[in-house]
């Protein structure tokens, strides 16, 4: 399994990172994701890293790259599900995830994305709340 | 990374299987998933296997187990994203995914789940379509 699946959820894309990213896999992910953004006209990309226990400078760069590329394609990127220990390590290592938004979980990430892209529910706010 | 993350999406749970399931991992997934269904009162479980290139009898049994357990907890299970080659192999091997519904992708899986649980949009059907 040398491919990270990208799931389309409405106007957003969802990627769950469960395996250690190595060079080729990371490049493939960047490539697939950008193509998918272009193909589906997605407005946002959610990257779930809840299974990731270490974010090193390589992974930080990949996340930054994805965010920059998506931004050019008019899609915002939100990293969700970061473990507390990962956040601690990031700060201790002095790493910053440039251009990457973060949210606690997928639902909050979607909420954030909707705000970022200026999403307007068609009619009632409470209806919108029902769908994640 | 010895844990498969379970994402909460509204009233459904989403699991993306990207690594080969071995005994301990599969048991942990079953356990986590059932606990999560209980905790979040989820009505449906979506299992994305688009990254899985082989579904053998072990994996088939795990999927069946998850479906049966979820069913007892009043949640339906839909397997989504199956590769065509996997479907061919399943039939050739004579394996049946008992009690498991399938759908082409996550969005169609959610649609199916909503139908299964008798989901009724509050007001307008077109509003509902907007949210995945």
């Amino acid at each position: 399994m040398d491919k990270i699946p990208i799931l389309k959820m409405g106007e957003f894309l969802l990627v769950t990172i469960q395996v250690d990213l190595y060079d080729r896999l990371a490049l493939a992910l960047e490539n697939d994701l950008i193509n998918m953004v272009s193909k589906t006209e997605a407005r946002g990309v959610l990257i779930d890293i809840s299974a990731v226990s270490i974010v090193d400078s390589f992974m930080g760069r990949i996340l930054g790259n994805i965010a920059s590329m998506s931004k050019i394609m008019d899609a915002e990127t939100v990293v969700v599900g970061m473990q507390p220990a990962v956040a601690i390590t990031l700060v201790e290592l002095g790493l910053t995830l440039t251009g990457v938004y973060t949210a606690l979980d997928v639902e909050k990430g979607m909420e954030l994305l909707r705000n970022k892209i200026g999403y307007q529910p068609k009619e009632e706010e409470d209806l919108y709340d029902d769908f994640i």
Side-chain angles (χ1 to χ4, degrees), chain A residues 9-29:
Chain A
M9 315 275 310
E11 56 188 343
F12 304 135
L13 299 179
L14 174 65
V15 181
T16 315
I17 296 179
Q18 294 176 20
V19 290
D20 285 318
L21 288 182
Y22 49 91
D23 261 2
R24 201 168 52 80
L25 187 64
L27 286 177
L29 175 62

Side-chain angles (χ1 to χ4, degrees), chain A residues 21 58 100:
Chain A
L21 288 182
F58 174 70
V100 178

Side-chain angles (χ1 to χ4, degrees), chain A residues 4-121:
Chain A
I4 296 179
I6 301 166
L7 308 178
K8 184 171 178 291
M9 315 275 310
E11 56 188 343
F12 304 135
L13 299 179
L14 174 65
V15 181
T16 315
I17 296 179
Q18 294 176 20
V19 290
D20 285 318
L21 288 182
Y22 49 91
D23 261 2
R24 201 168 52 80
L25 187 64
L27 286 177
L29 175 62
E30 286 178 8
N31 198 35
D32 290 351
L33 205 50
I34 297 309
N35 282 329
M36 195 85 170
V37 168
S38 159
K39 206 176 82 182
T40 62
E41 299 180 15
R43 297 297 314 280
V45 176
L46 288 152
I47 304 178
D48 173 73
I49 59 165
S50 57
V52 175
S53 46
I54 298 169
V55 172
D56 53 10
S57 57
F58 174 70
M59 180 127 175
R61 205 176 63 237
I62 297 300
L63 292 175
N65 282 355
I66 288 175
S68 307
M69 292 173 185
S70 303
K71 185 77 191 164
I72 296 173
M73 308 285 284
D74 193 28
E76 298 287 350
T77 301
V78 178
V79 169
V80 301
M82 189 184 287
Q83 290 177 24
V86 171
I88 293 170
T89 316
L90 274 179
V91 173
E92 280 178 353
L93 291 179
L95 290 175
T96 48
L97 297 177
T98 320
V100 178
Y101 298 107
T102 49
L104 213 55
D105 55 33
V106 176
E107 291 180 326
K108 293 195 174 66
M110 285 204 172
E111 193 73 36
L112 178 64
L113 276 178
R114 288 209 186 89
N115 290 338
K116 289 283 166 210
I117 64 173
Y119 174 84
Q120 289 293 330

